[in-house]
Amino acid sequence: MAEDDAIFDPSLKKKKKKKKTAFDIEAALAEGGNDAQDAAPEPDTAKEDEQDDANVDIDLDFTKKKKKKKKPFTAEDLDAVAGEGKDEGNEGGNQDEGALDDNFDLEVDFSKTKKKKKKKNLGDLIAEADEKHEDKENVDENSAVWMTSDRDYTYDELLKRAFEIMRDKNPDMAAGKKQKFVMRPPQVVRIGTKKSSFANFTEICKMLHRQPKHLLDFLLAELGTSGSVDGNSQLIIKGRFQQKQIENVLRRYIKEYVTCHTCRSPDTILQKDTRLFFLQCETCGSRCSVASIKSGFQAVTSKRAAIRAKTA
Amino acid sequence: MSIQNLNTFDPFADASKGADDDVQDGLVHIRIQQRNGRKTLTTVQGLSSDYDLKKIVRACKKEFACNGTVIEHPEYGEVLQLQGDQRENICQWLTKAGLAKPDQLKVHGF
């Protein structure tokens, strides 16, 4: 199992993350949210993965390496080490159990095994470990257990606790639960054969807290057409467009001009400063410039004769 | 997720990257335009002028079975123009031929 871990390369994990290309705008945010979320139970996941041979995506190779170094530890060593820092001792303990029995469940809470070790022999321990197999998943249960006991807390437990408290105190934080950024889908209807109407254009602008003009510029530049806002505050675009297509463009707009590039929060302000647009995040306070909207090359699609007649 | 501070950072990464002769610099914009009916047009703007666009368009025409042309634009330089929605095709082709890296391609449109 150690070998399996060794061949694992970090790129694997990355790919997995990128796979989250869900449909909604929230997907963009979700990525960010997940990033932050992963940070919390990090040491935990590392352990879990190690235990599962097939599941090779491990995100924390730093601890992994550290552990591997500790592999040659034996039970005798462990006792010697026990006097050392809590964190270190625990890691060593876990590792050496793994060495003794490959099937041993590494998932088990460090401290738990450690404490038991003092009283029980290893055989009991393994049985115990199997029992505990599934309870690792829910953090709450774990934390409840250790709170009542009088033993020393491990680093992992304390870390977990800190993150839990953080999440409880400010539930809307990025590190907490996945934020939802719900958007109403754009209502696109065909007008005649050549034009499309984006009926809730202004509504969406309001939801995104963006100037209608800015979104209009972007839409028209991306779609390579012309269009305007009519009296009923709906956008009329030249060309046939389906809702899905507009949605795609809208998603790109949100990714570039609405969500914060650092924390992915949608709570941002777009300011114009010396001809450049800057995105100021209200959540994390970051400020970065965003690409200006350029329509680029436009090929001639209408009748050349008609253009000539117009200009001449 | 690894801890960023502990990663080894190669200070000469940029320098060594620049060493390999990378002709294409800047983004390649791939756009789509609607024509009459359900016809479309794909434009490729920003390819390096060191490339022979005529040769590229010749290869593309053959590969995608479409017509195409090179248009000289005063502001944007030479622009490839292909008939139909060739956005996927051109992206794959450019990367396969090694003319541009995937991160240099920017696809616009719906």
Side-chain angles (χ1 to χ4, degrees):
Chain A
M1 102 208 270
E3 280 75 40
D4 262 346
D5 294 335
I7 22 170
F8 139 83
D9 64 329
S11 60
L12 240 173
K13 168 74 190 179
K14 255 187 196 152
K15 249 181 220 160
K16 259 214 160 152
K17 249 187 191 165
K18 285 220 176 102
K19 239 177 237 168
K20 279 176 197 152
T21 43
F23 185 87
D24 292 281
I25 307 109
E26 89 193 35
L29 299 174
E31 251 178 89
N34 282 348
D35 274 352
Q37 238 172 352
D38 280 355
E42 218 165 25
D44 221 273
T45 44
K47 268 172 266 150
E48 269 166 24
D49 289 337
E50 193 175 318
Q51 172 230 9
D52 195 343
D53 288 25
N55 191 3
V56 220
D57 68 311
I58 299 143
D59 36 359
L60 197 83
D61 24 1
F62 164 62
T63 47
K64 189 115 287 167
K65 253 176 239 157
K66 202 174 168 194
K67 264 189 210 153
K68 242 164 233 155
K69 259 177 225 151
K70 293 221 166 137
K71 194 98 190 171
F73 269 56
T74 58
E76 291 86 49
D77 285 337
L78 197 238
D79 286 349
V81 174
E84 284 178 31
K86 213 81 255 174
D87 193 18
E88 266 215 16
N90 286 332
E91 247 177 88
N94 210 347
Q95 208 40 256
D96 105 285
E97 275 147 24
L100 285 172
D101 187 345
D102 239 15
N103 294 329
F104 179 72
D105 178 15
L106 279 174
E107 208 176 65
V108 183
D109 199 353
F110 285 145
S111 49
K112 232 169 247 158
T113 57
K114 201 188 170 199
K115 199 183 176 195
K116 269 157 211 155
K117 190 170 260 172
K118 277 166 194 160
K119 308 176 224 159
K120 294 174 185 175
N121 63 20
L122 254 176
D124 287 351
L125 239 179
I126 291 157
E128 194 81 27
D130 283 337
E131 270 177 43
K132 290 270 149 81
H133 196 120
E134 62 287 275
D135 84 341
K136 188 69 175 194
E137 266 88 294
N138 44 7
V139 181
D140 306 37
E141 203 179 313
N142 256 336
S143 61
V145 171
W146 67 265
M147 287 257 222
T148 49
S149 71
D150 57 343
R151 68 192 161 72
D152 291 330
Y153 318 125
T154 61
Y155 176 75
D156 288 325
E157 283 168 346
L158 291 174
L159 190 71
K160 228 179 279 167
R161 184 164 177 238
F163 270 98
E164 261 165 46
I165 292 168
M166 238 150 75
R167 246 171 264 165
D168 287 347
K169 292 271 153 90
N170 22 332
D172 53 341
M173 207 179 58
K177 302 257 155 45
K178 185 172 133 189
Q179 285 181 307
K180 287 238 172 169
F181 183 57
V182 188
M183 274 279 304
R184 220 158 298 157
Q187 289 162 5
V188 181
V189 261
R190 180 86 63 75
I191 302 176
T193 50
K194 285 192 173 167
K195 284 179 192 165
S196 308
S197 150
F198 183 169
N200 54 355
F201 173 68
T202 31
E203 192 189 337
I204 279 177
C205 285
K206 265 189 203 122
M207 273 166 78
L208 299 174
H209 306 290
R210 288 292 170 273
Q211 293 289 325
K213 192 184 170 295
H214 189 255
L215 181 54
L216 175 81
D217 283 348
F218 180 82
L219 278 175
L220 296 183
E222 276 296 284
L223 298 171
T225 52
S226 52
S228 57
V229 183
D230 80 346
N232 311 331
S233 75
Q234 61 180 2
L235 176 63
I236 310 289
I237 320 166
K238 199 180 154 208
R240 308 167 172 210
F241 296 100
Q242 264 126 38
Q243 184 190 326
K244 215 172 160 202
Q245 298 172 321
I246 300 291
E247 227 168 66
N248 252 331
V249 181
L250 215 54
R251 200 168 308 129
R252 232 176 298 156
Y253 177 82
I254 288 163
K255 201 177 168 210
E256 177 70 30
Y257 297 102
V258 179
T259 54
C260 170
H261 293 205
T262 314
C263 70
R264 313 247 182 190
S265 136
D267 193 10
T268 54
I269 298 172
L270 193 69
Q271 299 163 314
K272 195 164 190 179
D273 196 3
T274 57
R275 282 195 255 178
L276 290 170
F277 276 110
F278 284 92
L279 198 67
Q280 173 105 39
C281 180
E282 293 287 272
T283 314
C284 69
S286 84
R287 182 180 158 86
C288 56
S289 66
V290 288
S292 58
I293 298 167
K294 272 183 262 164
S295 62
F297 172 74
Q298 291 294 319
V300 181
T301 48
S302 55
K303 287 250 159 53
R304 282 167 206 270
I307 299 169
R308 230 172 288 139
K310 222 179 257 174
T311 49
Chain B
M1 184 201 292
S2 60
I3 297 166
Q4 210 166 20
N5 287 347
L6 297 168
N7 286 346
T8 51
F9 173 71
D10 180 11
F12 301 109
D14 284 340
S16 57
K17 206 191 274 176
D20 60 78
D21 45 350
D22 215 5
V23 189
Q24 179 62 39
D25 51 345
L27 287 172
V28 179
H29 297 274
I30 295 159
R31 293 194 176 81
I32 189 161
Q33 259 180 286
Q34 287 193 336
R35 285 180 55 222
N36 39 1
R38 42 177 297 170
K39 291 175 186 169
T40 47
L41 209 69
T42 310
T43 59
V44 182
Q45 176 203 323
L47 276 170
S48 171
S49 52
D50 295 342
Y51 294 138
D52 189 348
L53 280 254
K54 289 217 178 73
K55 270 189 181 162
I56 293 176
V57 86
R58 214 173 296 151
C60 285
K61 280 161 74 169
K62 204 165 202 179
E63 184 83 12
F64 314 147
C66 67
N67 207 351
T69 182
V70 180
I71 288 180
E72 192 67 52
H73 193 274
E75 191 184 341
Y76 304 116
E78 286 182 315
V79 181
L80 270 185
Q81 191 175 304
L82 297 163
Q83 288 181 2
D85 184 359
Q86 313 290 353
R87 287 176 297 168
E88 288 275 292
N89 290 337
I90 194 81
C91 282
Q92 278 168 9
W93 191 84
L94 284 176
T95 39
K96 208 180 79 205
L99 297 178
K101 295 198 188 68
D103 54 319
Q104 286 172 327
L105 300 172
K106 193 160 166 57
V107 181
H108 299 267
F110 37 84

